[in-house]
Amino acid sequence: LVDRERLWSDDHIAVLSSAAGIISQALARSDAEQRFGLAFTNAPLGMVLSGPDGRHIQVNQAYCDLVGRTAPDRIGSLASDLVHPDDQKALAREHALVLHGVRDQISLELRVVRPDGDLIWARLHISSVRGGDGKLALVEMKAVDSAYPLLGELTLDPKMPLADLLAERDGAFGAAVDSTLLARFDLKLGDRVN
């Protein structure tokens, strides 16, 4: 083996190693994009991706159901088109805060006008997605109507204020969990989950 001519130089091996790293990153990114796509599509709450100008790029079915319109009707249109005229200034003001980097996320309640003229109150949670240059690339919006969550109520055992339950202690925030879920994951109260 020592006398044989080397077929691959160190440069060749470095290029192949770099290419393997790039391919590995692309596959991981593709997997992450697929997971995001599934979560977005199947989310039980309305989700929208919009450009910086506020025009919808992608919407899910829950959002279409909430506003009473189809996905093709919403793509390329503005969220403000659906908002009651008395609430449009508030939406524009809050969108400007995200657009200009004053805030990364906002929440507001406003009225949405459905095609049949009915008004529904919706809670919007809007977050910015910025590129490496800091410029706004996307705006992600989650929307739920006033009935969300649709059923049930939170009952704590032992009884305590929810704020106390969720407060930070020893570097971790509290959580409420159903006992069935604890049993399924073989956890007990006080366990830390990473």
Side-chain angles (χ1 to χ4, degrees):
L1 289 173
V2 175
D3 294 328
R4 293 185 73 173
E5 184 179 327
R6 279 181 65 180
L7 297 176
W8 300 97
S9 70
D10 290 340
D11 289 340
H12 287 110
I13 293 172
V15 167
L16 288 173
S17 178
S18 177
I22 291 169
I23 291 169
S24 176
Q25 288 176 355
L27 290 173
R29 189 170 33 253
S30 174
D31 186 46
E33 288 171 358
Q34 184 177 18
R35 283 193 310 271
F36 172 79
L38 285 170
F40 182 93
T41 300
N42 297 311
L45 62 148
M47 294 187 71
V48 177
L49 291 178
S50 298
D53 64 354
R55 295 193 182 279
H56 294 350
I57 296 169
Q58 186 177 357
V59 299
N60 72 355
Q61 188 60 49
Y63 176 75
C64 293
D65 294 344
L66 179 73
V67 299
R69 292 175 170 79
T70 65
D73 177 54
R74 297 311 311 145
I75 302 301
S77 63
L78 297 168
S80 59
D81 295 345
L82 303 176
V83 174
H84 188 276
D86 292 345
D87 296 335
Q88 288 182 355
K89 284 184 182 176
L91 178 60
R93 182 181 60 247
E94 296 295 320
H95 182 261
L97 293 174
V98 171
L99 185 64
H100 299 297
V102 176
R103 306 247 331 254
D104 287 329
Q105 51 187 329
I106 57 170
S107 292
L108 71 155
E109 289 190 22
L110 46 74
R111 291 163 290 181
V112 172
V113 182
R114 294 176 51 93
D116 60 8
D118 282 350
L119 293 178
I120 59 164
W121 280 96
R123 222 170 308 156
L124 303 182
H125 303 280
I126 301 171
S127 304
S128 63
V129 179
R130 299 195 178 275
D133 59 1
K135 289 184 179 176
L136 187 64
L138 286 174
V139 176
E140 178 229 9
M141 179 176 72
K142 297 180 207 80
V144 295
D145 66 16
S146 60
Y148 186 84
L150 297 176
L151 58 102
E153 64 182 62
L154 180 63
T155 304
L156 300 175
D157 183 21
K159 291 186 177 193
M160 68 176 69
L162 182 60
D164 291 350
L165 172 75
L166 300 177
E168 183 180 6
R169 287 185 195 87
D170 301 323
F173 290 94
V177 62
D178 187 272
S179 59
T180 307
L181 188 62
L182 287 174
R184 181 176 294 160
F185 289 103
D186 194 28
L187 294 171
K188 63 185 181 314
L189 291 177
D191 286 351
R192 284 182 174 253
V193 179
N194 295 326

